[in-house]
Structure formats: C-alpha cells, structure tokens
Amino acid sequence: MSISSIILPGLTDRPTSVARILSTLKTTSLLINSSTVELTLLSKKAINYVQSRDEYLRWTGCHLIKIISVNPIVISNHGADFITSLMKLINIGTVSQLVYQTATNTILSLCLIIKGKQSLTREVLTPNLPGFINTLVKKLDLKDPQLLTNSVSILTILIRNHSTIFRPHATAYESKLMGVMKSKEFRSWEPVARKQIIESFVALSLVNKAASLQWSVVLKSVMEEFQSVFKMIFQTLLQPNEDAESDIINLIELLKLSLHDAESNMHNKSQFSLAPLSIDLNDLKTTGDLFDRIALLTDLIIGFITTPLNDTIVNYPIGKFVNIGELLINVSAQIHGFQKDLLIGDINLKHNLNFTFSKIQLQGIKLLNQLVKVLGKQSLGYFEKFTVFTELVIPMKTISVINPTTNKTVAKKILDVEQIKFHKFDMLVLLEFVGNLLKALDTGNLHDFSFILKLVDMTSLMVEEASYKDVIEKTKKPAADGSNKRTKKSKNSVELSDFIADASTLKIKTDVKLTTQVLQFYSTVLKNIPSLSVTQLTKVQHFVILSAMRKIYTAGNITNDIRQVLENFVVYQNTNEKYNLLPIIMNIMRQSGDDNNQLLSLLLNPRFPISNKREIEHYDKEQDEDLEIDECKIEEAKKPQIDLEELKRELREEVTNEVTEKLTREFEERESKRRKLSERLQTAEIETNPNVWTQQKFQKVEISKDVLPNDKEISSSEQRMVTETVVEVTTETKKTEDHDDENNSDFEIPDIEMDSSDEE
C-alpha cells in the first residue's frame, strides 16, 4: 500500500471521502513508508486546495497540511510553501469564519513543529511569523466572540513560545485586549472565554525584556483599581463600626505595592486603567456595574496567580492577595451595616444591595480558592483567617428564642435556609475552597472544625428536593379579607389537576453540577473529619445512597464521585456511626456492575500477607546426633545460598579436631596421674588432697600408645565424652593405710606394665 494507490486517487477536483483520507493518513504508517516523490505530489495537492476559491477545498487543504507536516521530509521541503499559502488565505477578506479558524490553527501547528529547529526557524518561521501575528491582532473583533477567543488563544501560545518575535506587536495587542475587557459585551461572555482573554493579558506582561518589572507594574495598576473601588464602597455604602473601621482602612492601604524608580517610570506608561465607577442608588442597574467591576478585577488577580511565569522571577505578594480576599468578604451589610446618612427606604434597593454584596463575598472566596490551589501547603499560614472567612460567608440569620432556664429572650444565630437555597449554585465555590483547604491540611492539626459542621448542614439544605407543591397550595388559599370571589378563567390557562394528581411531576430535579460538587465535598469531609454528629452523618448517608440508587436505575451504574464517597464510608468510619454500611454498599456495587471492587472485597474478606517461607534441606540428626553444633552455625547452615553438604562436612571436621585435641590433652593428663599413682603405689605413699577430690569418669578408649588420636579416624562412639565433676570439702586428712581400700575407689586404675628400667 502506498499514497499513490490509496490517497491520491481520492483527491479529485471535488473529493467526496475527505474524512476517510484524513483518518487513513493520521492512523496508518503511509507517511512513514512513502517515497519522496509521493510526498511531494501529496504536498502540492494540498497547496492547490488551499489556493482554490472553493471553501470546501480550502478547508480540505488546511487539514491535509496539518496532518502531513509531521513528516520531517515534508516540513523541510514544503514548510515555507505551506505557510506562504496559508498566510495568503487568512488575509483574503471574503474567507469564511470556519476556513479562517482552520487556517490559523494549521499555521499554529506548523509553528509548534518548527520550534526548536534552528534552520527551519531561520528560513521559514522568522520571515512569516510577524505577519501572522499582525493579521491576528488586526482581526480581533468584538462582534464575533468565538472567533476572537480562538485568535486570542493562538496569540497566547505564540507569546509563551516566541516572545522575542511577538515583542513589537505587544503594544497594539494590549490596546485590543483593554478594549475588549472594558466593553459591556465582555460581561456576558462565557467564563471560559473571559478566562482566555485575561490569561493572554497577564502573559503579555512577560513579553517585555524586563519581564519581572512589567509584571509588577501591571499588578500594581490592578491593585490601585481595587483600592478605589473599596474606598467607594466603605465610604458611600457601608459603615464599619469603630473597632473595624481602622482595620478596614489599614487593609485598603496595604494594597499599595512599592515600586523602584525604574518600575515607577514604566508604571507611568502602563495602559491599564478603568473609567471611574459611580453608583446611583436611584438606578438599580448601577449596582450591577459594581459587581462587574469587582468581578473583572478579581479575575485579573486570579490571572496573575495562575498564569505560568516562564521561569521569570517575580515578587509574589501572597499577603496582599489574601488582603484583597478579606476586603471582598467584608463587603456585607450584615457585618458592617449601611451608612447612617444613606436613606434606604425602598425595600427593593435593600434586597438588591444585599444580593450584590453576597455575590461580591463569593468573589473573595473564589480568589482565595485559586490561591490555595496554586500554593497548596504554602497557604496554610493563613488557615485561621480562612476559617473565619468561611464562617462569614455562610448565610446566617438571627432569631429570638426563650432560654428555658432563665425564661429570658436571647438572640440565636441559625442558618438562613432561604438565602442558602437562593444562592446554592454560588455556594459551590465555597465547598470547593474548604475541600482544597482540607486536602492541603494535615488533619491531625485540625482541632476546631465547627465551620465544617455548619457547611455539612448547609449542603444538606442545598440538595433538598425542591417542589412546586407549595406554590400550588398557595394559589388555592382563600383571600386575606375572607372573600372567596371567583375569578374569570383565562382562555389560555388550564387546570392544575394533572400536576396535583401526580406529585412526582412537581419535583425539581437536582442539578448534576450541584450533586457532583456536594459529593466531592462529602468525600473530603468523611476522609478528614472523624466526628460528625449522628444527625449530620445520617443526612449524608441518606443523600449518597439515594443518589447511588437513582443513578443505577437511570444509567445502570454509578459515577466515580459516588463510588469514592461509598468507599470512604467504609474506610474512614465515623466515631458516631451506629450502623455498618458495608453490606448495603456492597449491594450497591454489585447492582452497578462493580462487584469486583478490590478495596471492599479486602474489607469483607481480610487477607493476610503471604509469609516469606523458604524450603531448606532437612538436617540428618541420626547421622550427626553426637555433634555439638552452636546455634549460630546452624543458622548459617539454613541460609539457602550455602551448600549444606559442604557446611556439614566442614562442621564435622572442625568438631572432630576439637574432640581429638581435647581427648589428647586429657589422655596426657591421665597418663601423668597414672605415673604418679604408680610411683606412690610402689613407695606406699599415696597422698590425696585433703580438701578437694576430683573424680573424672571416662568411657573406655582404646588408643595405641604409638599412634596419636588425631592420626586415626575416630568413630562417633569414641567422640562421646561425659565429664562429671564432684567437689567434696572435708575438714580431716584421710590417709590410706590399707592397699585393699583401693578396690573401693571410684577411680579405675589401669593395668601397669613395669619394664626393667622401672624396677631399677
């Protein structure tokens, strides 16, 4: 198979099987095994398609170039022609949006392939890349957010990989991005698109030769914008009490960044500046402008936290980022109250401001969450502050209750159910923030986790099933004045009897995103908090098991988040847990098709580790029962790397030598005593030790006087020796006068042969 027989015949003037051709080139080895002539024909065909006037052929040519450029021969011989033809295509004013995006993505892939190859960079990339960057910057248009975000993502990659070539276009690109961020359309964009714009703006600050200075200058500009917004809020809308006012002023002043002279000069040339913010309390729409401004500045700070620095060393002001989060969380009428001279008689204005302030508080949690994500354990120095911030954001309300002991009315704070359910999707960032904190923290150091318990109660309210039943019941209630007048039925309305008859149709399904985030939070809490109350634990178990069964009945299996929580129920048991959930969880696993879960199987059937046993050769005790071998030598014999037969032979020789030497020594001592005794018998002057008498018993050993024991093989019976020592202490001296008493002695006197020399 070759390109000539499979690919080229299908590339006609109007190809109909482009998908098959592209898939074949990408998934097979045709590009590797083809000849240079075939690759040249295929490359020229792709260039002809790009230069065509037909949009379909242009799109086909772009994809062909993107796939075949991975071949080194193709990119070396035709890389310049590819980029030239694609550059002409994107500069055509009548090109469609789809073809424009495909062509720009193809050029980007060529740039990434060529990067790091000096010859290709010099001959192909350097001459064409400035024109490509210039075209992309000029065609940034707010009218088409999708096309704009695609171009911005390409430019961001070029900034990080070709910063030197991008440097002349940095000013024009910064102006374009500032115009985009200041526009009203930017507020309604998707979060992903907003994030791409902000990341590109932050990455642009690293293009300058003095990248660290430029980064600090842009960050200082954003901090100054934050300062002006906070001053306006705490001077015109909120009134901190006397104790907190000085702290708020100090926090605002701490947002200033001190710059050197060179940085100050660059700061004067910085283009980042926003129009002054004004709030008209008679126009409720202006409160939305306040939130939009804070959301933009918060996203910019998050961009400075998360954007890679490309090995650039910068001054990372973690403390100032935490101060911004603290100020955002303090924007609350429940904490500080409204200004005294602010006449807020309109209830709608109060609700609108409270709603805006709650959104601003969660922007502070969003900022701190990203800080914890990036820094991990390095952010735990602010852990106590983070716990206080968490409790400030949880919606609470004060009620009056009667103390049963004193019968006095006291104030009590409880969870604000209405606000929790109203802001339940906004509260997901709070759950994520606390989950990341617990992951970064060593749970052994967590002593006060009361804020966690409040969050567990809050999540139980967030995941409660909502229903329209209460709304329908309200419509059936009589009027307040007692009259029960019939209202004229509208022609366009129908009765609610169908809904009332089937209560399940009135239930509101819980959002998948909400369920997923709550399950992840429960998984982290079960792993790190061992002492949930019985009520809280029961609510968590009920929600998780119910979610698992619903998922099984609808999809036939359970998600990884549910599986993780179920496993944590078993592995990290709570101190207040009354029931064992292992059988229920195993039943859920079997119904979901995950009955081979190794973790739960191990808990059901504990298995001990296999002992490291080694088979060693049995030691022949019958053969060597007379050998006294030390325990250390036996242990050495048990080692598998030692030859046991060789070891036994060495030990036998060693013991034999020791016994032989000992027997020889004892034999010599005995012979010496025998001679002395013989002399005493002759002279009848046998003397014994009056105090100590030593008796030694030896078995009969037949050894020739002419042959020493070590020169003759000693049998096992001859090696056996038993020595008994009996010590008798006497106070009288005993003399032997009668030679017949010698027969009563325990000492056996061997036969004595006297030769002529002895008689003389």
Side-chain angles (χ1 to χ4, degrees), residues 11 35 83 118 159 162 211 273 297 371 409 417 438 478 559 740:
L11 297 177
S35 63
I83 291 185
Q118 297 181 358
I159 288 172
H162 304 280
S273 61
L297 295 175
L371 192 65
T409 303
V417 180
L438 292 178
T559 62
D740 295 336

Side-chain angles (χ1 to χ4, degrees), residues 72-87:
I73 298 175
V74 173
I75 194 66
S76 299
N77 296 335
H78 306 282
D81 297 332
F82 287 162
I83 291 185
T84 302
S85 59
L86 291 170
M87 286 294 299

Side-chain angles (χ1 to χ4, degrees), residues 605-663:
N605 305 295
R607 295 182 286 277
F608 296 100
I610 301 175
S611 60
N612 189 15
K613 294 182 178 180
R614 296 178 181 176
E615 293 184 0
I616 56 177
E617 187 176 349
H618 181 68
Y619 193 80
D620 191 358
K621 294 184 178 179
E622 295 180 357
Q623 180 181 356
D624 300 308
E625 60 181 358
D626 299 326
L627 295 179
E628 297 180 0
I629 305 175
D630 296 338
E631 291 183 2
C632 61
K633 296 179 181 179
I634 295 176
E635 292 296 327
E636 291 293 333
K638 289 182 180 180
K639 293 185 179 180
Q641 65 270 21
I642 299 176
D643 189 356
L644 293 178
E645 293 296 334
E646 180 67 21
L647 179 61
K648 287 195 282 185
R649 186 182 61 80
E650 293 177 358
L651 290 174
R652 189 180 295 111
E653 292 178 357
E654 183 178 352
V655 173
T656 302
N657 293 334
E658 291 179 358
V659 173
T660 303
E661 292 177 359
K662 190 171 184 179
L663 287 174

Side-chain angles (χ1 to χ4, degrees), residues 152-153 155-157 159-160 166 173 177 195-205 307:
V152 166
S153 63
L155 288 169
T156 304
I157 296 174
I159 288 172
R160 292 172 180 167
F166 199 97
Y173 185 47
L177 291 179
K195 183 179 179 181
Q196 288 180 352
I197 299 295
I198 290 172
E199 282 184 354
S200 187
F201 177 78
V202 176
L204 189 61
S205 63
T307 301

